[in-house]
Amino acid sequence: LFMKYTPANGRFVGQRGYGYRGIAEFVRAANALNGGTRTLEELDDELATASVTLGTTAILEAGRRSLDTGGAKITLKYDDTGDIFSWHPIGMH
């Protein structure tokens, strides 16, 4: 699990990133999700889920591709939802 740097309910939740605490939080979250007591959207506020780390992952991938091609410019494409906090990369070139 990656570190989650954004706060959840006004609290820093980075301590739920790497290490045994992160694994314990992940197991608790998986059990709650499987048990129907939590939703993925609720877990986005507490864990570094795929949907909240997608932007960072896209930036890292674009950087890797740029390095692999001798510093070529890589442009990320985003969907146009109108809300900058919910922009998700949809491609790169």
Side-chain angles (χ1 to χ4, degrees), residues 22-64:
I23 294 169
E25 287 296 325
F26 175 80
V27 170
R28 278 194 276 281
N31 284 333
L33 185 62
N34 288 334
T37 59
R38 302 293 301 277
T39 66
L40 276 176
E41 291 77 20
E42 291 171 329
L43 296 175
D44 283 345
D45 288 338
E46 298 173 17
L47 296 174
T49 61
S51 66
V52 297
T53 60
L54 186 60
T56 302
T57 302
I59 291 168
L60 293 171
E61 175 66 12
R64 186 197 61 80

Side-chain angles (χ1 to χ4, degrees), residues 1-19 21-23 25-26 38 42-49 52-53:
L1 299 173
F2 285 100
M3 190 93 145
K4 185 172 187 315
Y5 293 101
T6 55
N9 300 322
R11 297 179 306 141
F12 175 70
V13 291
Q15 68 275 10
R16 294 183 182 159
Y18 294 107
R21 284 178 142 185
I23 294 169
E25 287 296 325
F26 175 80
R38 302 293 301 277
E42 291 171 329
L43 296 175
D44 283 345
D45 288 338
E46 298 173 17
L47 296 174
T49 61
V52 297
T53 60

